Amino acid sequence: MRKRLLLIFCAFLFAIATQATEKNTYLVELDYPNLGKIDFYMTFEMDKDDHSFLAYSNKKTLYRLLPFYQKMYLKLFGKDKKNGAVLRILDGKIKSDSLHGKLISTIGSFNFAASKNIDELRGKLYNKNIELDFTAKKVVEKTKISNYNKLFQNLQHTLRNNIYNPKILNREDWDDFMENLQASLSNATDDLDVLFAFLYHKRNLKTSHVFLSKTDYLKSATTENATIKPNYDFRKIDNSASLLEITAFSLNDKKAISKLVKNCKTPNLIIDLRDCSGGDFSSLLLASHFIEEEKMVGYFLGNKYYKNYGDQLPSEKKIKNITPFTDGTLNDFFTELHDNGILVGKVEPAATSYNGKVFLLTSNKTASAAEPLAFFMKENNLATLVGENTAGAMLSAESFKLENSWFLTLPVANYFTIDNRELEQIGVKPDIETKAENALEKVKYLIK
């Protein structure tokens, strides 16, 4: 009799619990800048009595990637039991037919707001910098959103056929990356699993410009006639100096920046590249305002060159016999590179030059197309570099379409200075070393 009563009591408690807590899985569709439209699962646990909810993405994502000791630490000392998830919504509140909370992720925190219908959520993720719309539809069970094994095979094939030097894929860092990525993608359930696994395993690669996304973000960033926000800002500090800040080099900004430098009347010009992540070859066109005669800058070596000549660098005679690339579209740049396997850069003096003193600010974020400019200005005594060593991420990249709207960005050319120095993984050392945040004040002090 007691046993029967106990069973009835337990069944009663279970009924109350299930009535109060509703647990559902949703397939979320979110379009995130530079990543594209990603699809992933999130589970929502809603407490009707307490008017609260908890939500989380795949709880196994981190546990599949982390080393054993980190997994154990996460399990033992994690603040909640959903720490294996990349996305979590904590302290969620249910208000009538809407949900509100704070989404915590590896790419930042967002406010979460959604309207709730029977089988669908619609809402926004937002913070002070960005606002994103999303939809989420209820599903009965989780199934693999895509064939991620096939995605890996396509990715591997694309790398072998297009990376600037196929030989680097035999290095230990690349071998580990490909092995770990294959294992992760075989267990992946949704796009979030794939993206996070790629980013996690990529961190040990000694190669820059390797990126996986669901959009061709390089194409949108370099559309020449696009109406986009300028990547520069110019202001006169005082009668002694002007400041030109550049966050990315683009052919769209070439004429405007050239005009600003041409009309600069102060005796000192400070070019701030501390937050410049790169861009296109127009970076070297800026140097044309500071030279009196044409100068060779450096050269790019692509897949065709490495397949024909291996790691042997071109001779000085060979470089002199190549018609240099001085101007043109981005398509012109890549066409010449792929056709010849080598592209030589040269800077010609602008019609009007700047005759004052130039300071160039750098940081460990100064990368890609900004680095040849920094090196050229320093080596030719055209500017004093102040700040930190640059990023050492000087490869030229293109995006290639894979399976199901995935895109792989990979380096198709390596850059060498005219005296055969490589900048990738090395960077450019400033003349005056100081913390990046102090560089501008340091230059103002030097000018005074």
Side-chain angles (χ1 to χ4, degrees), residues 61-122:
T61 301
L62 286 177
Y63 291 129
R64 287 172 179 165
L65 299 173
L66 297 176
F68 175 77
Y69 70 93
Q70 289 184 355
K71 290 180 186 177
M72 293 307 298
Y73 181 88
L74 203 59
K75 288 182 178 181
L76 293 173
F77 302 106
K79 292 182 180 179
D80 61 68
K81 301 301 181 183
K82 310 299 185 297
N83 273 323
V86 177
L87 302 180
R88 289 173 290 151
I89 300 176
L90 306 177
D91 301 323
K93 302 297 181 186
I94 304 173
K95 299 178 181 179
S96 183
D97 59 350
S98 64
L99 307 176
H100 302 267
K102 191 80 171 179
L103 186 142
I104 309 299
S105 77
T106 55
I107 54 176
S109 298
F110 298 85
N111 294 306
F112 171 92
S115 60
K116 182 180 182 298
N117 296 322
I118 296 175
D119 294 319
E120 186 178 66
L121 301 177
R122 286 182 177 271

Side-chain angles (χ1 to χ4, degrees), residues 238-303:
D238 53 34
N239 290 331
S240 67
S242 296
L243 177 65
L244 172 61
E245 296 175 298
I246 301 175
T247 54
F249 285 99
S250 170
L251 287 168
N252 299 298
D253 302 328
K254 178 182 70 171
K255 290 182 179 179
I257 291 177
S258 179
K259 186 177 181 180
L260 289 170
V261 175
K262 175 183 174 182
N263 294 328
C264 182
K265 303 302 181 184
T266 56
N268 294 281
L269 174 61
I270 305 169
I271 302 174
D272 189 351
L273 301 181
R274 289 176 294 178
D275 291 318
C276 186
S277 57
D280 55 40
F281 65 90
S282 63
S283 61
L284 290 172
L285 301 179
L286 178 59
S288 66
H289 294 280
F290 311 111
I291 57 174
E292 296 178 353
E293 58 183 9
E294 63 180 35
K295 287 182 177 291
M296 304 301 289
V297 180
Y299 56 90
F300 294 86
L301 299 181
N303 185 278

Side-chain angles (χ1 to χ4, degrees), residues 101-163:
K102 191 80 171 179
L103 186 142
I104 309 299
S105 77
T106 55
I107 54 176
S109 298
F110 298 85
N111 294 306
F112 171 92
S115 60
K116 182 180 182 298
N117 296 322
I118 296 175
D119 294 319
E120 186 178 66
L121 301 177
R122 286 182 177 271
K124 295 182 182 295
L125 297 176
Y126 60 96
N127 55 31
K128 63 180 181 180
N129 299 316
I130 193 170
E131 182 176 301
L132 306 170
D133 294 322
F134 71 87
T135 59
K137 295 184 179 180
K138 191 185 295 185
V139 296
V140 177
E141 62 177 335
K142 291 182 182 179
T143 58
K144 283 199 172 189
I145 290 176
S146 185
N147 187 342
Y148 297 122
N149 287 320
K150 190 175 181 181
L151 172 65
F152 175 81
Q153 293 168 6
N154 197 197
L155 181 150
Q156 188 177 45
H157 176 78
T158 303
L159 271 170
R160 288 172 176 168
N161 288 326
N162 297 284
I163 199 164

